[in-house]
Amino acid sequence: MREPRRHQPRPQTLRHRSPVTEAPLVRALLIALALAFLALFLFLPLVSVFVEALRKGVGAYFAALADPDGLSAIRLTLLVAAIAVPANLAFGVAAAWAVAKFEFRGKSLLTTLIDLPFSVSPVISGLVYVLLFGAQGYLGPFLKQHGIEIIFAVPGIVLATIFVTVPFVARELIPLMQEQGTLEEEAALSLGASGWQTFCRVTLPNAKWGLLYGVLLCNARAMGEFGAVSVVSGHIRGLTNTMPLHVEILYNEYNFVAAFAMASMLALLALVTLAAKTLLEWHWGDEIAGATRRH
């Protein structure tokens, strides 16, 4: 005799729950708070720079930019960035490759040194170069005897800018290369590729988007650096003044239109950098995401 079939309770259907459990009012308040913060501390100051720069008209604006000292500051800023960014590009790629792909003694020390400019004040880094290469510094007398000028000249500005922008390229590449691992490189080497071919055809293409981001950030910081450059430049008008230093001089002279005109150029350069980054994310967003998720 068969046992009567017992009634099995129906399993309850699990409802899909959103990971966001805040009420709509709370979410609206958080979004409004974020937008208000950005408007107050980012948008309004940026708009005020352009308003002040154009206060006396477009003619006065372009006249301030066409001033010989202003043109010299723009040229010097672009020159310093053109030297500092490739230098940090080469160092960042080499350092990231070494840290992410190899095991060696002093690896943690190298990583710490890469982060050093983040923790050291730019003013202190400028003073270090003055201590090394200044007239009363350790190497100053030797350099003076051989007619080499570092401090209060373009080489000192370039060195100070390179120091403060060292981490940007390396710090973008190291986590990306570590996440990708070494499987593709090992496969390329096993198929007979040389180390250089493996780097150019496997490692570098896989990290190209992180490399590009690092270059954009490095370039923005190089053009906007003030503290370290201020210490080593000597503020020689028309010779060693970069755009940030020229803005300070014009503002201290109460030449507000010219000061804000030059500041607006710096703001435009920053906006161009941001626009380039946004364009890359919009146009190649899927490829960038795929590169970061690979392996």
Side-chain angles (χ1 to χ4, degrees):
M1 184 175 180
R2 291 188 304 174
E3 289 186 20
R5 189 174 179 180
R6 297 181 181 179
H7 177 70
Q8 297 288 337
R10 292 183 180 180
Q12 293 182 350
T13 304
L14 295 178
R15 293 182 179 180
H16 176 71
R17 296 186 62 185
S18 172
V20 180
T21 58
E22 289 81 4
L25 179 59
V26 175
R27 279 181 280 175
L29 288 175
L30 290 174
I31 295 173
L33 181 61
L35 292 176
F37 184 89
L38 290 175
L40 181 62
F41 293 103
L42 182 63
F43 183 72
L44 287 180
L46 190 61
V47 171
S48 66
V49 168
F50 289 94
V51 170
E52 291 296 327
L54 297 170
R55 181 177 292 277
K56 293 187 178 180
V58 177
Y61 177 83
F62 285 107
L65 296 178
D67 179 73
D69 291 339
L71 291 176
S72 175
I74 294 173
R75 285 194 296 267
L76 181 57
T77 301
L78 296 177
L79 173 63
V80 171
I83 298 173
V85 172
N88 277 322
L89 173 62
F91 168 78
V93 171
W97 195 18
V99 171
K101 305 297 183 178
F102 304 104
E103 294 295 333
F104 56 91
R105 290 185 179 181
K107 182 175 178 177
S108 59
L109 177 61
L110 176 60
T111 306
T112 302
L113 291 177
I114 291 173
D115 292 335
L116 185 63
F118 282 145
S119 58
V120 175
S121 169
V123 175
I124 295 176
S125 64
L127 290 174
V128 169
Y129 283 108
V130 172
L131 181 63
L132 288 174
F133 304 116
Q136 306 301 321
Y138 296 120
L139 302 176
F142 173 81
L143 295 174
K144 187 175 181 180
Q145 289 177 359
H146 293 79
I148 301 174
E149 293 185 0
I150 302 293
I151 302 303
F152 304 153
V154 175
I157 299 174
V158 172
L159 288 174
T161 304
I162 290 175
F163 179 87
V164 298
T165 55
V166 157
F168 289 96
V169 175
R171 267 300 160 199
E172 285 290 326
L173 290 179
I174 288 175
L176 182 58
M177 287 186 175
Q178 286 176 334
E179 182 182 354
Q180 291 171 350
T182 60
L183 292 178
E184 290 190 8
E185 284 85 354
E186 292 172 358
L189 292 172
S190 67
L191 293 174
S194 64
W196 179 249
Q197 289 174 329
T198 301
F199 173 75
C200 292
R201 297 183 181 182
V202 178
T203 305
L204 199 57
N206 285 343
K208 60 184 177 181
W209 300 117
L211 180 65
L212 191 53
Y213 279 172
V215 168
L216 288 173
L217 294 174
C218 181
N219 182 68
R221 178 62 189 275
M223 290 189 295
E225 175 54 31
F226 179 84
V229 171
S230 178
V231 175
V232 301
S233 69
H235 295 266
I236 304 174
R237 202 160 187 165
L239 292 176
T240 62
N241 272 346
T242 58
M243 293 172 69
L245 300 182
H246 193 56
V247 170
E248 182 197 29
I249 288 178
L250 292 173
Y251 190 84
N252 290 336
E253 292 176 349
Y254 301 101
N255 190 352
F256 298 124
V257 172
F260 282 105
M262 190 62 61
S264 70
M265 288 297 297
L266 280 172
L268 284 174
L269 291 173
L271 290 174
V272 168
T273 301
L274 179 62
K277 180 177 179 293
T278 304
L279 181 63
L280 287 173
E281 292 177 341
W282 174 73
H283 193 70
W284 289 289
D286 295 338
E287 189 174 347
I288 294 172
T292 56
R293 290 195 303 263
R294 193 175 300 160
H295 305 292

